[in-house]
Amino acid sequence: MSGFIEQFFNIQIMVAAWPTLLRGLAVTLMLCLAVIPMGLFGGLVAALASNSNYKIIRWPTIAFVDFFRSIPPLVLLIFVYSGLPFAGIRLSPFLAVVIAFFLNNSAYYGEILRAGLNSVGYGQTEAARSTGLNVVQTHLYVILPQAVRNVLPDLLSNTIEVIKLTSLASVVSLSEILYSADMARSITYNASPIVLAAFIYLIILWPLVRLVSQFGKNLDV
Amino acid sequence: MSQWERFSDTFFNRAVIIQYLPDIYHGIWITLELSILIVIFGILLGTCLAVLRVYKILPLSFCIIVFADVFRALPPLVLILIAFFGLPSAGIYLSSFFVLFIILTLVLAAFSEEIVWAGLTSVDTGQWKAARSTGLSLNQTLIWIILPQAFRLAIPPLTNRAIAITKMTALGTVIGVPDILNQATTAQSFSGNASPLMIAAIIYVIIFLPLVIASRWLEEKFSWRKA
Amino acid sequence: MAIAALEVRGLSKSFGANIVLDDISLEVAKSEMVFILGPSGSGKSTFLRCCNRLEEPDSGEILLNGESLTQKNVNLNKAREKIGMVFQAFNLYPHLSVEKNVSLALRKVRGFGTEKANEVARSALDKVGLADKYRSYPSELSGGQQQRVAIARAMALEPQVMLFDEPTSALDPELVGDVLEVMRDMKAAGMTMLVVSHEMNFAREAADRVIFIDNGSIIEEGPPEKIFTAPANPRTKSFLARVSGN
């Protein structure tokens, strides 16, 4: 038992690893700040395009979305980071992560926002257009606010997944939390730094996970 | 060499592909085997946990909720690394395959528990009363009346979640599970050519695209229940 | 002769092989209230939607006070501002308060500042008897109140013509009166109105002219007295007998 505590909850090692992990946390947060807005934007474009009246826009978009929902994010990330250099495209770990996640997140956010757009009745568009609002205004002020509200639980739930996904950046040695923790582990031969990283993730994500569950209850009515 | 030849030589090199295809083929079986095991055990365990909450044994329900929350909140890669590198020092030796299987099964179980529980609570309480009034026991009502209805609601989100988590079998690469991605990255570093990685990506799409399309179809089929 | 407030010339529309509107022409004079009757599926709603081009006609011309809405270079959004429309299902914006429902187009289309837009919105809501509901949301209102908000939303833009697409069909019987009362007031104030509705008594009392459409063509038209008491066309006769329950 003491061996177990020694191996997973070694306070001394955790204290020593703390500054490194804090720097890692800063990178993780920065990554989230880049990746979440970009994914939402890409998703919005994908959602609007996959609802387009023109087949030539709609079908390629749906193919894009399904393609990137089919590829494991880690495969995509490794392909961008270590496959593209063979074609002469060399990216920094940060940029590789941002690009790979942009493609992956756009597909997932896009699918959610598309469902949101479809949940708003056509009468809303008709009413807005009949008062002289143009297409852009109709979407901005009438359709999108309702669409987002209708799929808010799914958007939140996907955002949790995106935050968790940033841990994959450790695989391409971007020094976010998990990478920092794993470095500390390999130096100390002790899992406590990763356990500490897990606690940090829990502090950030547990409230959000609870919120998603609460949403679920409200929707059952 | 033309631009196109250079491109195809880098990403679709025949000689490299032929040389490493057997390895990747072996990886496909590992990935499929893991995926199937994880889906079966994850959904089964999650359903059992959700059903246990019906009996309203408070300490038990509390533990199940904490388990589901923690495994939904933590990145799977964090859990995998803790288990793989921590457990041996604590005297527990597991293969990387088994570690990946256990962690992803628990993650899928956590999500399944939440989804099935949401399904269970959304079944109208009148169904319970009606079934009990005909003399069915609590367990019979649960199995024959409530669970089938809960599952109807749960199938689309369960499908989505199962796909997302089976895709995570690629994380096994990090701890050395010889899955598709691992075989491909190894082959890439031996051959100095990106073709194995390209082939791996294509294989993943071939495996998962039908599932993604099926889940889209399922969602549309069940969407009349909303709104 | 004065220019018609709304003139439709040779309007046709098909959905696939199904001809919904077949060469319909109609003039509505300023301050005139025209009622359109007809069996369901006769193309009434489509006709109304073509008037402000929510539905794109295949051919034909629409003129608002002599200005074409169907020419290529027309600014449709500017034109739609001048044609108000009220829908069967109200179509209020559920995420906005009643006041914002009315003021949205004033701000975004008219370019009013928030202050002025709110002022105009409130005065429009006062006119339909909802002075105490500015801050309410659509879901907190009865169907009749929602439809009156929808009317205020259209009227706030000071349209030259108002289109009503079965404005009372989705309402409980006891709420219909309030909406008709508002329409009566609008007529008294000189609004030009084109109404698709099954409210026969209201048509008889308030309409200047009644048009009967079947299978995408105008079968008969005239003053309400004539149409209701002595319809010339047998199809009009059988329709009226059916809806009045005789």
Side-chain angles (χ1 to χ4, degrees), chain A residues 122-135 137 140-143 145-146 149, chain C residues 49 52 54 77 80-81 83-85 87 91-96 104-105 108-109 153 157:
Chain A
Y122 188 66
Q124 292 290 311
T125 305
E126 280 199 327
R129 298 306 302 276
S130 80
T131 63
L133 293 172
N134 62 33
V135 183
Q137 289 170 326
L140 212 53
Y141 305 119
V142 177
I143 309 299
Q146 297 181 56
R149 200 179 59 172
Chain C
R49 281 173 158 69
N52 64 354
L54 278 181
N77 298 318
R80 284 196 180 122
E81 227 188 301
I83 307 177
M85 187 158 189
F87 301 86
N91 296 350
L92 294 184
Y93 312 133
H95 63 302
L96 298 178
L104 180 67
K108 302 302 172 188
V109 179
R153 178 170 67 183
L157 292 159

Side-chain angles (χ1 to χ4, degrees), chain B residues 134-151:
Chain B
T134 62
L136 291 178
S137 73
L138 177 78
N139 290 331
Q140 286 170 325
T141 305
L142 189 60
I143 292 168
W144 300 111
I145 310 296
I146 307 299
L147 264 180
Q149 297 183 54
F151 259 107

Side-chain angles (χ1 to χ4, degrees), chain B residues 145-175:
Chain B
I145 310 296
I146 307 299
L147 264 180
Q149 297 183 54
F151 259 107
R152 263 192 81 86
L153 284 171
I155 280 174
L158 270 184
T159 313
N160 275 336
R161 199 51 80 172
I163 293 171
I165 289 168
T166 43
K167 271 162 55 185
M168 288 179 193
T169 52
L171 298 182
T173 299
V174 178
I175 55 172

Side-chain angles (χ1 to χ4, degrees), chain B residues 95-160:
Chain B
S95 71
S96 56
F97 180 95
F98 203 61
V99 166
L100 187 62
F101 162 69
I102 295 215
I103 295 296
L104 291 186
T105 297
L106 291 177
V107 171
L108 180 55
F111 279 102
S112 307
E113 188 278 319
E114 193 64 19
I115 292 166
V116 175
W117 174 250
L120 286 171
T121 51
S122 66
V123 176
D124 185 52
T125 48
Q127 295 287 314
W128 281 98
K129 287 178 193 148
R132 297 303 296 276
S133 77
T134 62
L136 291 178
S137 73
L138 177 78
N139 290 331
Q140 286 170 325
T141 305
L142 189 60
I143 292 168
W144 300 111
I145 310 296
I146 307 299
L147 264 180
Q149 297 183 54
F151 259 107
R152 263 192 81 86
L153 284 171
I155 280 174
L158 270 184
T159 313
N160 275 336

Side-chain angles (χ1 to χ4, degrees), chain A residues 67 71 75, chain B residues 11-12 196-207:
Chain A
F67 180 81
I71 283 205
V75 176
Chain B
F11 290 104
F12 297 98
L197 208 49
M198 185 58 112
I199 294 302
I202 291 170
I203 290 170
Y204 275 111
V205 172
I206 291 172
I207 295 176

